[in-house]
Amino acid sequence: MIKLDTIRSQSGVSDWTSKIIADATLEHLDPKAVEIARTNFATKYANRVSAETVQNWSTAELLERVKLSRDGKLTRAALLLLGRAQSTHLLEPHPAQITWKLGGGDYAYEHFGPPFLLTTSEVFRRIGNTQLKIQPDDSLLPIEVSKYDRTVVLEALHNCVAHQDYARDARIIVTELEDRLVFENEGSFFEERPDVYVTDGGRTPRRYRNPYLTQAMAELNMIDTMGFGILRMFERQAKRSFPLPDYDLGDGMSVKLTVYGNLLDESYTKLLLKETDIPLSDVLALDRVQKARPIDDATTRRLRKNGLIEGRKPHLRVAAPGVRHAQDRATYILTKGQDDQFYEKLILDFISKWKSATRKNVDDLLISKLSDSLDDQQKANKVGNLLTSMRRRGLIENTGSRKSPKWQSSNRAG
């Protein structure tokens, strides 16, 4: 609780979701949602506490553990995630709703209330998720993919729930159009801009509008609080060879996210199907090209050098898959760089031989081997992100200081 109070005081924002509801009791919670919460918590912390122990906790103790109650009393966050549908009056005047509706001239809608732990999946099932056929150039048989990826849709929904400005008494809206989904939640994008979490994979939010709710959702495996959710949506859409999501921050009063369920440019789709090693930074640029949006001159030169685009500004187009193979292979490899496992092995081999590595050692080891498409700052960020990732996975540890790190093999490694 001290940690959460500190976060709230630093942000200068009152956390609507942390407030206690005096009249709420355990009877106002949905039994199925409580059991799913118990299962999710046990799964998340399987390496720390046994499933049997979690199963034996009382509901009151479980709620304390997942940060949904305070001093034995239920919070608004508890009713949002686990409350019975009939308990929403305790949240009035807030509607506590996710509204799904059909757009494009069709008239249909449905409201979904708490418990959001369960009903976000019901919203996904309400969406028309037919199969699409994609015909790769190198196969006689088409590939079948669903219009929408479940992980992407739930990530979008859970982000709406986590970041909604509940003080404005507005609902979350999901509009299903013929070829896309539009998710709308009230309130500005709270920390940085969406693109930062895609282009800088190591970026972590410093604060949240609803820290009490977001921490509980993280405990229940609904979101992470490290900033990887947006990146994961983009990566999954790219892996499916689909257009990447679009954010519209509008006038700063709400956030709109568009997730595409169709193919816009055959060349883009076939290129991503054939060339599965294109860096996400290049996929982001190719996505802009297929949507007829501008890209900067440096990016244009890089993509053209790698045979990924054709034409001249402002009429650039994604190149057909075969064009890339017509480029000089050596030039392409230099521009592409290696995968993270390659760089990580170099770091581990250095530490194995010399027992430790400073940041300068790592820079000297890796900088010249990174992709030529990166500038000096991007290369420095890449090295920093690699070290952070290795530390989080227990491969290395810093036995020096933050300012002068000394990286050694972790006791948890191997």
Side-chain angles (χ1 to χ4, degrees):
M1 285 306 304
I2 294 176
K3 180 180 179 182
L4 283 174
D5 288 338
T6 300
I7 293 173
R8 283 195 290 272
S9 63
Q10 290 175 344
S11 69
V13 176
S14 176
D15 184 354
W16 184 94
T17 67
S18 70
K19 301 300 186 290
I20 289 173
I21 303 176
D23 296 334
T25 70
L26 297 182
E27 293 300 315
H28 290 106
L29 302 183
D30 183 278
K32 182 178 179 181
V34 171
E35 289 312 304
I36 295 296
R38 190 185 300 275
T39 299
N40 288 2
F41 185 88
T43 300
K44 181 179 177 69
Y45 292 105
N47 62 334
R48 300 187 191 179
V49 58
S50 71
E52 181 180 3
T53 298
V54 177
Q55 192 62 38
N56 288 333
W57 287 343
S58 66
T59 299
E61 183 173 1
L62 174 69
L63 295 174
E64 289 285 347
R65 298 273 187 163
V66 300
K67 314 294 192 299
L68 286 175
S69 66
R70 295 166 55 193
D71 300 323
K73 298 185 181 299
L74 298 184
T75 61
R76 288 169 173 167
L79 288 193
L80 287 173
L81 298 182
L82 306 182
R84 293 179 185 268
Q86 301 85 353
S87 302
T88 55
H89 65 279
L90 294 171
L91 296 172
E92 290 178 348
H94 194 280
Q97 284 182 346
I98 300 174
T99 295
W100 166 89
K101 67 174 184 176
L102 277 180
D106 295 316
Y107 185 76
Y109 68 90
E110 186 172 349
H111 300 305
F112 298 84
F116 288 150
L117 177 63
L118 303 183
T119 53
T120 51
S121 292
E122 293 178 14
V123 175
F124 174 73
R125 289 191 290 270
R126 188 66 178 84
I127 293 166
N129 199 17
T130 56
Q131 295 292 106
L132 301 178
K133 290 185 178 181
I134 304 175
Q135 182 63 60
D137 286 337
D138 56 357
S139 174
L140 295 176
L141 298 176
I143 297 173
E144 287 199 0
V145 294
S146 58
K147 286 181 68 175
Y148 301 109
D149 179 84
R150 184 176 188 273
T151 297
V152 171
V153 173
L154 288 182
E155 183 72 42
L157 281 168
H158 292 165
N159 281 349
C160 287
V161 172
H163 303 299
Q164 173 87 339
D165 188 346
Y166 291 96
R168 296 185 182 178
D169 299 332
R171 61 168 62 98
I172 295 165
I173 300 175
V174 180
T175 303
E176 180 178 352
L177 300 169
E178 182 180 359
D179 58 353
R180 67 198 67 189
L181 301 172
V182 181
F183 301 84
E184 301 177 59
N185 69 273
E186 194 74 9
S188 62
F189 196 87
F190 197 66
E191 177 86 359
E192 299 282 2
R193 290 181 57 85
D195 56 285
V196 172
Y197 295 97
V198 181
T199 57
D200 183 357
R203 184 62 60 94
T204 301
R206 294 168 298 177
R207 59 199 181 109
Y208 284 94
R209 175 179 288 113
N210 307 309
Y212 201 89
L213 175 64
T214 51
Q215 184 168 346
M217 293 179 72
E219 296 293 288
L220 298 178
N221 264 340
M222 297 178 74
I223 60 170
D224 72 66
T225 53
M226 296 302 294
F228 298 131
I230 293 176
L231 175 62
R232 186 160 49 243
M233 288 193 292
F234 277 72
E235 288 178 335
R236 290 187 74 92
Q237 286 292 90
K239 187 174 182 179
R240 282 160 34 89
S241 304
F242 270 63
L244 302 184
D246 284 330
Y247 274 92
D248 178 4
L249 305 187
D251 59 2
M253 301 296 288
S254 64
V255 175
K256 290 184 181 180
L257 168 65
T258 297
V259 174
Y260 291 87
N262 73 325
L263 309 178
L264 299 180
D265 182 338
E266 185 179 76
S267 293
Y268 168 92
T269 301
K270 290 186 175 181
L271 182 63
L272 265 59
L273 282 173
K274 189 175 183 64
E275 310 290 349
T276 58
D277 58 351
I278 299 176
L280 183 60
S281 58
D282 285 352
V283 178
L284 286 165
L286 291 172
D287 183 65
R288 292 187 64 85
V289 171
Q290 76 164 338
K291 294 170 181 173
R293 297 172 185 168
I295 57 176
D296 62 58
D297 291 342
T299 301
T300 300
R301 289 193 294 270
R302 183 178 75 248
L303 296 184
R304 195 187 305 281
K305 184 178 181 180
N306 290 335
L308 297 175
I309 59 172
E310 301 173 315
R312 294 189 177 278
K313 286 186 172 183
H315 304 297
L316 297 173
R317 60 185 180 275
V318 179
V323 172
R324 186 181 189 191
H325 291 291
Q327 305 297 310
D328 175 39
R329 269 65 170 178
T331 299
Y332 167 66
I333 290 297
L334 285 173
T335 307
K336 171 182 170 293
Q338 301 293 330
D339 60 24
D340 287 354
Q341 288 75 19
F342 172 81
Y343 301 122
E344 290 176 1
K345 186 176 187 305
L346 290 179
I347 295 172
L348 293 175
D349 286 348
F350 186 99
I351 292 175
S352 176
K353 182 173 180 61
W354 304 107
K355 307 305 180 187
S356 66
T358 65
R359 175 58 191 260
K360 185 178 186 306
N361 293 150
V362 178
D363 285 343
D364 291 344
L365 180 67
L366 297 187
I367 291 295
S368 64
K369 299 175 179 63
L370 295 176
S371 167
D372 285 353
S373 67
L374 302 178
D375 60 30
D376 290 345
Q377 185 58 53
Q378 289 172 325
K379 288 181 178 182
N381 290 342
K382 174 71 174 179
V383 173
N385 291 339
L386 278 169
L387 292 170
T388 298
S389 175
M390 293 176 71
R391 175 181 60 79
R392 287 174 176 167
R393 288 180 285 130
L395 298 177
I396 58 175
E397 60 185 351
N398 180 14
T399 59
S401 65
R402 185 180 182 87
K403 186 175 181 180
S404 301
K406 180 180 180 182
W407 298 103
Q408 293 184 315
S409 179
S410 171
N411 292 330
R412 293 182 289 163

